[in-house]
Amino acid sequence: GEYQNLPVFEPGLAQIVKDVRGKNLFFSIDVQNSIKIADLIFISVNTPIKSHGIGAGEASDLKWVESSAREISMYAEGHTIVVEKSTLPVKTARIIKSILESSNQNLGGDLGKTFSVLSNPEFLAEGTAVNDLENPDRVLIGGEDKTSIDLLKEIYLRWVKSDKIITTNLWSSELSKLIANAFLAQRISSINTVSAICESTGANVEEVALAVGKDSRIGEKFLKSGPGFGGSCFKKDILNLVYICKSLGLKEVAAYWNEIIKINDWQQDRIYRTLVEKLYGNISGKRIVILGFSFKANTNDTRNSPAITICRKLLAEDAQLVIHDPKVGEKDVFDALVGSENIINFEKRLIYEINIPKATENADAVLIMTEWEDYINLDWKKLQIKMRKPSWIFDTRSIISPEQLKRIDLNFWQLGNGESY
Ligand code: UGA
């Protein structure tokens, strides 16, 4: 029904909306009245990277944050707590405050409006958002005014233990969000450099990650090598951090964090080059199946998906691509690849296919890009019969165990597995 058609696919979300819609969850486009009656307003708007002007390619575009603050200042009545939920550069609260504080003057005369600004960054990850909300590692609230902090804390206390709720000053809170994402992305780039070392030495990155991660100071999570991080946050937040460092004159610090993005790009380029090399340095006209187009499993989000980068490179080599994803639809796949430079007539060489046996028919290679559960137990013994020989599987997510392919007429390359050649 209508709940199946939420604009985002997120496990568990449709059920929540179904349960509480019309009870204590309401959707409205009446901005003016909603602001007027609100005690607390979360600003959760988009803050993409600026495409032009000062800071283009690095700084966050704050125009939607600013216009939200302006609308709030216009329509709010009495005391209103304004909470930054969007990920923002450090010191954005200052901008919001200054706009809100000017509101009484705006309409000539003291209208008795008062505001306090809090920072309450969001740490949920796509695909596990509902669980991350229900069982957060921590809730972070930054602010200056204790009454407002306590009021927001009160809401979280309904399901989060008080020792998990951290309160800090505004700037620490804003900065912590960027740093948390930078540290997470850094782990991925680190393990991805290790995947390359493993391939050249006969080591196995899964084994190294396990051995290293068992050290409780390092920890086991977020040590999975793959085609690099995608999603709407990591790259944007690091670029933003780099921009802030540069603005502060911290050149070396900016270069340090920027390296994480460079390694991420390098990893994707490396995968593409490996595939071309294995297929005798020529993929023109060859049929390559892409399994998975979303940036990770359990989401239909394709923003910054490594699959996009790699597909563009393969199309530029005149390959024929057959793309499969259980949740990303045909239109989104085409939209993501349109506008690619140096790719001529690519529409004719791009096929969307939801049936895997059909997709792999006559294929020269299968490239696994997303760790969807659907791909873990595919019957390769059967599928390979109809592939063109010599046929290849490239597994960038380590979801196939080499055992599965024993005695099957398939060549197998697995990222970070020095034994899979
Ligand atoms: C990320 C953070 O994990 C959240 O804490 C944060 O709130 C969110 O950004 C945000 O700022 O909004 P998300 O981008 O949804 O969440 O997804 P992640 O699970 O972090 O995955 C990001 C990318 O890293 C994916 O492409 C994933 O495949 C990749 N990844 C993740 C790895 O390659 N290896 C890993 O071990 C983990």
Side-chain angles (χ1 to χ4, degrees):
E2 63 185 298
Y3 300 107
Q4 303 307 308
N5 294 327
L6 294 177
V8 292
F9 168 72
E10 184 61 47
L13 184 64
Q15 188 60 42
I16 293 182
V17 174
K18 190 171 174 217
D19 291 346
V20 297
R21 186 172 194 174
K23 291 184 186 148
N24 59 353
L25 174 68
F26 302 91
F27 296 93
S28 168
I29 51 165
D30 181 359
V31 177
Q32 181 169 345
N33 208 44
S34 304
I35 290 176
K36 199 167 118 185
I37 61 174
D39 299 311
L40 198 145
I41 298 172
F42 287 90
I43 298 182
S44 318
V45 296
N46 210 5
T47 52
I49 293 289
K50 280 181 79 173
S51 60
H52 48 272
I54 298 170
E58 285 183 344
S60 285
D61 193 337
L62 296 179
K63 67 179 171 209
W64 290 286
V65 174
E66 182 172 335
S67 57
S68 303
R70 286 185 189 275
E71 286 208 276
I72 294 169
S73 86
M74 188 104 79
Y75 301 125
E77 285 185 1
H79 185 69
T80 310
I81 301 172
V82 178
V83 187
E84 300 176 344
K85 196 50 143 169
S86 306
T87 301
L88 298 166
V90 194
K91 292 283 180 185
T92 303
R94 204 173 43 186
I95 301 173
I96 298 176
K97 268 188 184 170
S98 136
I99 292 170
L100 295 175
E101 273 158 18
S102 63
S103 66
N104 283 323
Q105 293 125 44
N106 255 348
L107 302 167
D110 190 351
L111 300 169
K113 300 182 185 193
T114 52
F115 298 97
S116 46
V117 179
L118 300 177
S119 158
N120 176 218
E122 185 49 63
F123 294 105
L124 60 77
E126 288 181 29
T128 54
V130 173
N131 181 57
D132 294 343
L133 176 73
E134 287 174 348
N135 308 296
D137 284 345
R138 78 318 211 167
V139 168
L140 179 57
I141 303 174
E144 282 151 359
D145 146 30
K146 188 166 181 315
T147 320
S148 304
I149 293 176
D150 285 345
L151 204 130
L152 180 55
K153 199 170 166 179
E154 204 65 26
I155 296 174
Y156 283 107
L157 277 173
R158 287 170 174 260
W159 77 96
V160 181
K161 289 214 177 85
S162 68
D163 61 352
K164 287 197 170 176
I165 304 178
I166 305 169
T167 55
T168 66
N169 77 28
L170 269 172
W171 324 120
S172 301
S173 173
E174 288 179 339
L175 182 60
S176 299
K177 170 64 197 187
L178 291 185
I179 299 300
N181 273 356
F183 268 60
L184 289 169
Q186 181 186 43
R187 280 173 76 92
I188 299 170
S189 277
S190 296
I191 200 69
N192 283 342
T193 65
V194 176
S195 71
I197 304 174
C198 289
E199 286 158 30
S200 315
T201 54
N204 183 323
V205 72
E206 294 274 293
E207 293 176 354
V208 175
L210 181 72
V212 170
K214 281 289 179 198
D215 186 324
S216 61
R217 293 168 302 177
I218 296 171
E220 298 174 7
K221 292 180 186 163
F222 248 75
L223 278 183
K224 199 123 183 60
S225 70
F229 53 79
S232 64
C233 303
F234 285 169
K235 186 171 179 188
K236 182 189 80 162
D237 290 354
I238 294 175
L239 285 172
N240 201 223
L241 181 62
V242 168
Y243 181 72
I244 290 169
C245 294
K246 282 186 191 164
S247 313
L248 298 171
L250 301 170
K251 205 166 73 216
E252 290 78 4
V253 184
Y256 174 76
W257 290 110
N258 195 45
E259 209 59 34
I260 293 167
I261 294 177
K262 284 207 216 153
I263 289 291
N264 203 51
D265 295 341
W266 167 80
Q267 179 80 340
Q268 284 160 29
D269 194 58
R270 192 171 86 72
I271 291 169
Y272 140 77
R273 284 174 191 279
T274 305
L275 183 144
V276 174
E277 187 204 306
K278 299 284 177 204
L279 299 185
Y280 309 124
N282 163 43
I283 56 168
S284 172
K286 290 187 180 163
R287 184 173 163 104
I288 299 167
V289 179
I290 309 293
L291 293 185
F293 202 74
S294 57
F295 79 97
K296 61 186 250 188
N298 296 319
T299 176
N300 61 349
D301 195 342
T302 64
R303 285 176 293 176
N304 281 319
S305 178
I308 297 176
T309 318
I310 291 182
C311 284
R312 287 186 171 182
K313 288 172 189 279
L314 297 175
L315 285 169
E317 297 275 349
D318 299 329
Q320 184 190 85
L321 297 189
V322 188
I323 297 179
H324 175 278
D325 191 288
K327 286 282 183 247
V328 181
E330 179 165 14
K331 187 180 178 308
D332 289 334
V333 169
F334 272 82
D335 285 351
L337 295 171
V338 168
S340 316
E341 286 163 45
N342 306 325
I343 306 175
I344 305 151
N345 281 338
F346 84 94
E347 286 89 350
K348 290 184 194 148
R349 294 186 281 111
L350 188 62
I351 300 163
Y352 178 86
E353 178 55 69
I354 200 65
N355 179 305
I356 295 176
K358 250 174 127 177
T360 52
E361 218 165 282
N362 294 320
D364 295 279
V366 173
L367 172 61
I368 300 172
M369 288 300 302
T370 314
E371 72 285 20
W372 284 106
E373 219 182 293
D374 312 41
Y375 304 148
I376 295 173
N377 288 313
L378 288 174
D379 187 351
W380 290 111
K381 197 169 173 181
K382 208 166 148 196
L383 290 173
Q384 59 83 26
I385 297 171
K386 293 199 169 167
M387 289 176 71
R388 191 162 82 140
K389 304 290 160 184
S391 6
W392 278 90
I393 298 188
F394 296 88
D395 175 13
T396 70
R397 294 283 189 172
S398 304
I399 62 166
I400 293 185
S401 83
E403 296 295 308
Q404 272 172 276
L405 301 181
K406 265 202 176 143
R407 288 182 294 278
I408 295 181
D409 185 16
L410 274 171
N411 297 301
F412 182 49
W413 178 86
Q414 188 165 48
L415 185 90
N417 183 352
E419 287 174 317
S420 72
Y421 291 85

